[in-house]
Amino acid sequence: MTTSILTCIFCWPLLAALALVFVPRNYRVIIRAVALLATFISMLLAVKMFCQFVTGHAGYQFEQQIPWVESLGISYHVGVDGLNVGLILMGAIVAFAAALCSWEIQTREKEFYILLLVMTGGILGAFASLDLFFFYFLHELALVPTFIMIGVWGRGERKNYATFQITLYLSIGALIALIGLIALYVQSGANTFDIPKLTEYVQAHPLAAHSQNFIFPLLLFGFGILVSLWPFHTWAPLVYSSAPSPTAMLHAGVLKKFGLYGLIRIALPLLPQAAQHWMQILAWLCLGNILYVGWVAMRQKDLNLLIGNSSVAHMGFIFLGIASLNLIGVTGAVVIMIAHGFLAALTFGLSGYIYQQTGMLEMKELGGLLRKLPFIGTALLMAAMAGCGLPGFANFVGEVTVFFGAWKVFPLVTGLALWGALMIGALYMLRAMRNVLHGPLPEKWSGISDATHAWRKLPYALLLASLLAFGCFPRLLTEKITPDVEKIVKMVRGETVVVGSTRVSRVQFGVPPNCVGARMIGFDQMKDGQLNPQAVSGVTPETTRETRVLHNIFVRTLASNTILN
C-alpha cells in the first residue's frame, strides 16, 4: 500500500519527537536542529500537497486507509478535500515558524522541543484524519502538551492559574464533544467511525429530530469551548499572555481551528435539522465574541492580553460565517480560519520577541520601539493592519465574504458585527500600535536590538508572506474551498439529492396497493439536461424512523428495483 503524503506530513514531527528522546540533553544544537528539520520537511510536504491538489475533484485526495478495529468500524483513514487542505498547509507553516521562534527557551530545551513536535504532529494528523476516533485522539495528543508547556515554561505570576484554567475549560469542552461524537456513532447505527461512510449512511438514514437536537448542542458547545465561543472564552486571553510564544502561536493559530473544523465537517452535514435550528442562537452568541470581547480588549494595558482578546474576538466572524449556512458565508469562515492562523502566530511571535528584549509587555512602559526595532515594529504594524481587515491581507478576504453571506440571513447581527470590526477592532489595535511603536523612546530601552539575523527574521517574514499571498491571490484558497463547502451547504439545506450522476429534484412518498407499510418513492431524474420522471418502489420496515427526511443522499449507484431504506 502506498503511503499517503498526509501520513508523512504529520508523522515527521512525531518521529522526530521520538528520536529526541534518545538524544542527550546537553546536545542543544542537535536537539534544535532536529526540531527545525522535522517541521521544515513537514512544511515542504504540505506545500507540495497543496500545489498538487486538484480543484473540483470529486471526493478526497491523497487518501490512505488501513483497517484497525473492524468490529467497531475504526480505521486509520486520512485524506483531504477543500475544507482541510488549506488548514494543513497553514498548520505546517505555523509549526515551522513556532520552531524557529523557540530560541527563547533556555531551560529544559529537550523536553520543550519534544512536546512542541508532539503538538505539531497531533494537530496536523487531526486535520488529515477521516476517522472520528483518530480525529479526536490526535487532537487530544496535541492538547496535552499545551498544558505542560504553559505550566513549566510559562511566564508571569499567573501562569499556574492560567494552566489550571486551560486544563479545566478544555478538558470539559473535549469531554462534552466526546459525548456528542459517541452519541452520534450510537444513534446513527452505521457501526463505523469512518467519516465518509458515516456521512453517506446518515444521509440515507437521517437521524430522528430528537436525536439531532440532543447531539448537536453537545458538539456545538463542546467544540465551542475549545474555540473560546462567548461566554466560554475567559480562559483564552490569560492563557495566551502566560504561554511561551511558540505554544501560543501553535494553539491560537492552529489547535483552536479544530473545533471550527469539527463543526463544519461533522455537525453540519450529519445533523442538518438541528443545525438550522441552532444557527440563529449561534449568530447572536458570536456577537459576544465580536462586541463584548472587543470592548474588553479596549481596556487592556498588557499587549499580550490585548492580542489574546483580539484573537477571541476574531472567532466571532468565523462563527457568523458558519451560522449563515450559505456558500458565501461558510467559504469565508474557512478562509478566516486559515488567515487567522497565520495572523495569530505572527502577532504572538512578535510580542514574544518584544518580551524577550524588554522583559515586559505593559504598553504604558513601552513606546517608540519602532526606532530601535524597525523590522519587528514594521511587521507588528502590518499584523495590526491585517487584524483590522485591511485589503491586501487574507483576513480581509475572509471577513468581507462572511459579511456578504451573513447579510442575507442575519442583517441586524451582521450590521452590529460590521460596526464591531470597523470601529472597536480598529480602535484598540491602532491605539496599541501608537502606544508601543510610536512616541518618545524611554531611556531604559536604548539597549534593545532588532532581529538582524536572517533566521530571526524568517518566521515573521514567512507568516507575513502567507497573509499577503492569500490576500492578493485569494483564488488560491477559494477555488479549492468552494466546491466542498457547496456540498456541505446542500447537505444542510436539502436543496438537491445527488445520486452518482443522477440529480433528484423531487421526491414523493406513497403507499402502493396490497403492501402494508410500504412506501413508493418517485423521483425526477435529470439526465443529459432532460427531465425523466421515474419511480422506484420498495418496502420499508415498520421500524423505519418516522421522522426520516431525505436531504442530500449520496450513494454510488441507483439501478431499477432498488430498495431505498
Side-chain angles (χ1 to χ4, degrees):
M1 178 180 292
T2 304
T3 301
S4 169
I5 191 173
L6 297 171
T7 301
C8 299
I9 288 173
F10 82 87
C11 279
W12 265 102
L14 296 178
L15 291 175
L18 182 62
L20 287 183
V21 173
F22 303 100
V23 177
R25 66 177 61 254
N26 58 324
Y27 285 46
R28 299 175 59 187
V29 176
I30 294 178
I31 291 171
R32 179 168 168 79
V34 169
L36 288 174
L37 180 63
T39 52
F40 180 68
I41 292 174
S42 286
M43 183 184 69
L44 289 182
L45 291 173
V47 172
K48 178 183 177 183
M49 178 269 299
F50 186 83
C51 294
Q52 291 180 346
F53 184 87
V54 180
T55 302
H57 181 274
Y60 296 95
Q61 302 179 44
F62 309 107
E63 270 192 279
Q64 181 181 0
Q65 187 168 16
I66 303 173
W68 188 40
V69 185
E70 296 188 32
S71 60
L72 296 177
I74 300 175
S75 64
Y76 170 78
H77 189 189
V78 293
V80 293
D81 62 1
L83 291 181
N84 59 345
V85 64
L87 291 171
I88 294 173
L89 173 67
M90 178 270 291
I93 293 174
V94 170
F96 178 60
L100 286 171
C101 291
S102 297
W103 56 270
E104 68 178 58
I105 304 300
Q106 301 296 323
T107 60
R108 298 183 181 179
E109 294 175 79
K110 174 180 174 178
E111 290 84 354
F112 181 86
Y113 282 108
I114 289 174
L115 293 172
L116 184 74
L117 290 169
V118 170
M119 193 176 176
T120 299
I123 193 57
L124 292 178
F127 284 143
S129 178
L130 295 178
D131 183 275
L132 284 179
F133 176 85
F134 284 99
F135 172 77
Y136 185 86
F137 167 75
L138 289 169
H139 171 259
E140 295 304 298
L141 182 67
L143 195 58
V144 172
T146 309
F147 308 150
I148 302 172
M149 294 164 84
I150 297 173
V152 176
W153 292 275
R155 57 195 182 212
E157 298 177 354
R158 305 182 69 190
K159 72 171 185 177
N160 291 332
Y161 178 65
T163 305
F164 171 77
Q165 269 211 322
I166 188 175
T167 304
L168 180 63
Y169 270 90
L170 299 196
S171 296
I172 293 174
L175 177 61
I176 295 172
L178 177 61
I179 295 172
L181 293 175
I182 293 174
L184 179 61
Y185 172 82
V186 173
Q187 291 292 320
S188 69
N191 195 35
T192 181
F193 283 90
D194 188 75
I195 294 176
K197 292 180 181 177
L198 184 63
T199 303
E200 181 177 321
Y201 184 89
V202 170
Q203 287 178 86
H205 308 80
L207 274 70
H210 64 84
S211 296
Q212 293 192 35
N213 289 327
F214 170 72
I215 298 172
F216 189 85
L218 292 174
L219 297 180
L220 174 62
F221 291 109
F223 287 140
I225 292 172
L226 299 178
V227 183
S228 63
L229 172 66
W230 184 89
F232 312 105
H233 68 286
T234 54
W235 60 269
L238 177 61
V239 164
Y240 296 145
S241 67
S242 304
S245 300
T247 307
M249 292 170 69
L250 263 179
H251 191 277
V254 188
L255 263 74
K256 225 177 184 184
K257 310 308 180 294
F258 170 83
L260 298 163
Y261 175 66
L263 282 175
I264 298 174
R265 171 70 77 194
I266 299 169
L268 294 187
L270 300 186
L271 308 164
Q273 289 175 289
Q276 295 186 48
H277 172 74
W278 279 90
M279 288 305 103
Q280 183 80 28
I281 299 172
L282 180 61
W284 285 100
L285 286 178
C286 78
L287 282 182
N289 286 76
I290 298 171
L291 298 181
Y292 175 78
V293 180
W295 286 326
V296 173
M298 291 174 60
R299 299 291 299 168
Q300 298 307 313
K301 299 177 181 179
D302 182 276
L303 179 61
N304 248 15
L305 283 174
L306 183 144
I307 295 173
N309 280 283
S310 173
S311 176
V312 173
H314 277 82
M315 295 300 100
F317 300 117
I318 303 175
F319 282 119
L320 180 60
I322 294 174
S324 70
L325 289 182
N326 57 45
L327 178 61
I328 299 176
V330 180
T331 298
V334 178
V335 173
I336 298 179
M337 288 164 63
I338 298 167
H340 179 267
F342 292 126
L343 177 62
L346 177 61
T347 50
F348 282 115
L350 291 168
S351 69
Y353 186 95
I354 295 174
Y355 181 83
Q356 291 302 311
Q357 292 295 316
T358 63
M360 66 171 61
L361 288 172
E362 286 289 327
M363 289 185 283
K364 65 180 181 180
E365 299 291 334
L366 303 174
L369 295 186
L370 194 58
R371 294 184 177 88
K372 298 295 296 184
L373 308 175
F375 175 80
I376 294 297
T378 301
L380 183 60
L381 187 59
M382 294 179 70
M385 295 299 102
C388 293
L390 190 71
F393 294 97
N395 303 75
F396 168 78
V397 177
E399 290 176 17
V400 73
T401 308
V402 163
F403 289 142
F404 276 124
W407 183 263
K408 300 178 180 179
V409 189
F410 308 111
L412 176 59
V413 173
T414 307
L416 293 172
L418 264 169
W419 180 76
L422 296 176
M423 300 299 295
I424 299 177
L427 180 60
Y428 66 68
M429 194 59 74
L430 294 178
R431 187 168 63 180
M433 294 304 101
R434 181 196 64 188
N435 293 336
V436 173
L437 300 179
H438 301 285
L441 177 70
E443 182 66 27
K444 58 183 175 181
W445 308 134
S446 59
I448 63 176
S449 59
D450 196 21
T452 55
H453 197 281
W455 281 103
R456 293 289 176 88
K457 293 180 178 180
L458 180 59
Y460 316 119
L462 182 63
L463 295 169
L464 265 177
S466 301
L467 282 171
L468 289 168
F470 292 125
C472 295
F473 305 99
R475 291 179 62 183
L476 293 172
L477 286 177
T478 55
E479 285 188 345
K480 294 177 172 62
I481 295 170
T482 301
D484 293 288
V485 167
E486 185 176 15
K487 294 177 184 177
I488 298 291
V489 171
K490 287 182 177 179
M491 291 180 205
V492 177
R493 301 178 66 178
E495 293 179 355
T496 56
V497 182
V498 178
V499 188
S501 59
T502 300
R503 180 175 296 272
V504 180
S505 59
R506 179 173 58 85
V507 180
Q508 295 178 334
F509 296 98
V511 180
N514 305 322
C515 187
V516 179
R519 292 187 292 178
M520 178 179 295
I521 300 175
F523 64 92
D524 295 338
Q525 180 185 30
M526 295 297 296
K527 186 175 182 181
D528 300 325
Q530 302 296 322
L531 185 64
N532 300 313
Q534 298 187 12
V536 177
S537 62
V539 177
T540 58
E542 293 182 359
T543 56
T544 297
R545 297 184 181 92
E546 295 178 356
T547 56
R548 175 171 298 161
V549 178
L550 290 179
H551 291 282
N552 283 359
I553 301 179
F554 292 87
V555 295
R556 301 198 180 279
T557 59
L558 179 62
S560 58
N561 302 321
T562 299
I563 295 177
L564 298 180
N565 290 326

